[in-house]
Amino acid sequence: MDLGIAGRWALVCAASKGLGKGCAQALAGEGVNLVITARGAEALEATAGEIRAASPGITVRTVAGDITTAEGRAAALAACPQVDILVNNAGGPPPGDFRDWTREAWIAALDANMLGPIELMKATVDGMAERGFGRVVNITSAAVKAPIDFLGLSNGARSGLTGFVAGLARQPRLAGRNVTINNLLPGAFDTDRLKQGFRAGAVKAGLTPAQLADQRRLQVPAQRFGDPAEFGQLCAFVCSVQAGYLTGQNLLIDGGAYPGTY
Ligand code: NAD
């Protein structure tokens, strides 16, 4: 299926690895020009090289910087001639016990997983509406629907973003001008972050990281972790012309792990 977005420009945040990279690769495969960001220049340039080799017909620009800061966001926006597609993403907050979290820890989580994405939407959605096309995808987490106790910073900050987006997406001045805003909620995906979690959790569980990974894998009805490439394909579809009537939604992609009917 031709997704009808070739020649558009996408800003994909935090895209040198993992889910952000999966989104960037899938959009590139549809002929979308990219601005990709990440904190570390080396991995970012390597990813840009991979994408250029796989999709030689598009332009890929890189911006190394911290997307949770005003400077990082300004640099990313400046590199993009116009943002037709915005994929909001950043690292997730650290795990822990809420008794240990300071105000600073909460502000950092909010900057990364709520206020940063809101600032980028503020900078882009009205321009999208003027041009009559826009797609915003926020990468959040399955934890928005089924909270994970020790990821309280993530549960809280991402729920704040989710509540805000539910209202924004339904503004007729956006939805009525072909601007859609949706959240993708990943379950367990095979990325560096997941592996890091197994390394950290293994000691506590008295297991090796591989044993803990096997245990977790079997808890997923699909009996496997997600592949960032399939996450990217869903992102590309949500950004397609065909998905113009899909807005304000929270789309779980978790191999059936969420146990509820709705
Ligand atoms: P990852 O560690 O594999 O990749 C993270 C990417 O984000 C890297 O490219 C890194 O350079 C970049 N990045 C991190 N912080 C940044 C910042 N401040 N500014 C710019 N770039 C930054 O992680 P992932 O697994 O792809 O996770 C992406 C998001 O999805 C995270 O917020 C994570 O919490 C969330 N998530 C992941 C999973 C999973 O199973 N992988 C599940 C639920 C939610």
Side-chain angles (χ1 to χ4, degrees):
M1 179 163 64
D2 177 359
L3 299 187
I5 47 179
R8 297 278 182 193
W9 274 93
L11 168 55
V12 186
C13 304
S16 67
K17 296 180 188 166
L19 304 179
K21 179 178 174 181
C23 294
Q25 287 173 315
L27 290 168
E30 294 299 321
V32 175
N33 299 306
L34 298 175
V35 173
I36 57 173
T37 87
R39 276 177 303 192
E42 203 178 320
L44 183 63
E45 290 309 326
T47 293
E50 263 181 62
I51 296 175
R52 287 184 192 115
S55 305
I58 63 159
T59 302
V60 182
R61 296 182 183 168
T62 56
V63 178
D66 185 342
I67 204 69
T68 70
T69 65
E71 301 74 36
R73 289 189 292 274
L77 289 167
C80 202
Q82 70 182 43
V83 181
D84 302 310
I85 293 167
L86 168 65
V87 180
N88 271 318
N89 186 31
D97 186 319
F98 94 103
R99 293 163 189 83
D100 301 325
W101 292 331
T102 59
R103 177 176 169 74
E104 287 66 37
W106 275 107
I107 297 296
L110 291 172
D111 276 343
N113 300 116
M114 179 184 174
L115 301 175
I118 291 173
E119 286 294 336
L120 284 173
M121 286 187 270
K122 185 176 169 188
T124 55
V125 293
D126 290 334
M128 292 175 182
E130 271 168 35
R131 295 188 297 272
F133 177 90
R135 299 285 183 263
V136 179
V137 168
N138 298 301
I139 300 179
T140 66
S141 174
V144 171
K145 272 183 87 91
I148 301 167
D149 168 42
F150 56 88
L151 292 178
L153 288 168
S154 169
N155 300 336
R158 295 189 202 275
S159 294
L161 176 66
T162 303
F164 171 75
V165 161
L168 184 69
R170 290 170 173 83
Q171 284 188 359
R173 62 192 278 196
L174 299 178
R177 294 284 305 154
N178 193 21
V179 177
T180 69
I181 311 179
N182 292 289
N183 305 318
L184 298 189
L185 283 55
F189 274 80
D190 193 7
T191 66
D192 281 3
R193 178 173 167 88
L194 194 76
K195 292 186 185 93
Q196 203 182 320
F198 293 142
R199 280 195 294 273
V203 183
K204 218 166 133 190
L207 299 168
T208 65
Q211 287 169 329
L212 184 59
D214 287 342
Q215 214 177 63
R216 280 284 309 281
R217 192 179 290 114
L218 293 175
Q219 287 165 3
V220 181
Q223 304 285 283
R224 66 177 178 89
F225 298 128
D227 179 345
E230 61 193 332
F231 187 89
Q233 295 297 332
L234 175 60
C235 173
F237 177 72
V238 170
C239 295
S240 70
V241 292
Q242 289 89 344
Y245 208 49
L246 177 76
T247 196
Q249 300 305 302
N250 290 287
L251 304 175
L252 261 179
I253 172 166
D254 69 349
Y258 176 69
T261 306
Y262 303 106

